[in-house]
Amino acid sequence: MAKKSMIEREKKREKLVAQYAEKRASLKAIINDQEKPVEERFKATLALTKLPRNSSAVRLHNRCQLTGRPHAYYRKLKISRIALRNLGSNGEIPGMVKSSW
């Protein structure tokens, strides 16, 4: 089980990303538009740097929804390999059987 503080920090980042997504997208559009004057693009760059760092989607990290584990994460299932194995062994995932030979 991951530390509660790390799980909560990740939730906080997700909220910030959702809150600032539209603003970041509009500023990036201005920055990437070559038709705009250099001064306006530079002001947009400065405005983008003023936003919180954790509002960037790059800073998000995938975590298991059951345990909070950050490594060995299956994106399709949104759980870690360990949680997947436990659920499969308990027969809680339809069609999944632990192999043995």
Side-chain angles (χ1 to χ4, degrees):
M1 188 77 179
K3 289 170 55 175
K4 296 283 184 191
S5 60
M6 298 304 290
I7 295 170
E8 292 303 317
R9 186 181 300 168
E10 201 63 35
K11 288 179 185 174
K12 181 181 175 184
R13 284 183 183 147
E14 288 173 1
K15 286 180 189 175
L16 280 172
V17 167
Q19 180 181 350
Y20 286 97
E22 189 176 322
K23 190 168 191 174
R24 291 183 75 86
S26 65
L27 288 172
K28 284 186 178 187
I30 293 169
I31 293 168
N32 292 331
D33 187 6
Q34 297 295 323
E35 300 297 318
K36 303 245 183 216
V38 176
E39 296 84 16
E40 187 177 345
R41 291 173 33 212
F42 184 69
K43 284 181 183 178
T45 305
L46 292 178
L48 188 65
T49 59
K50 295 265 195 258
L51 296 178
R53 285 188 177 184
N54 283 336
S55 67
S56 174
V58 173
R59 292 176 72 97
L60 290 177
H61 199 284
N62 293 329
R63 287 189 173 270
C64 175
Q65 288 185 339
L66 302 177
T67 61
R69 180 182 165 86
H71 300 291
Y73 173 86
Y74 288 98
R75 289 182 183 177
K76 193 170 188 177
L77 303 171
K78 297 188 178 181
I79 58 175
S80 67
R81 65 176 175 85
I82 297 168
L84 178 67
R85 182 183 167 115
N86 288 340
L87 291 174
S89 295
N90 295 339
E92 296 177 15
I93 299 178
M96 186 172 184
V97 182
K98 181 178 176 287
S99 73
S100 59
W101 60 91

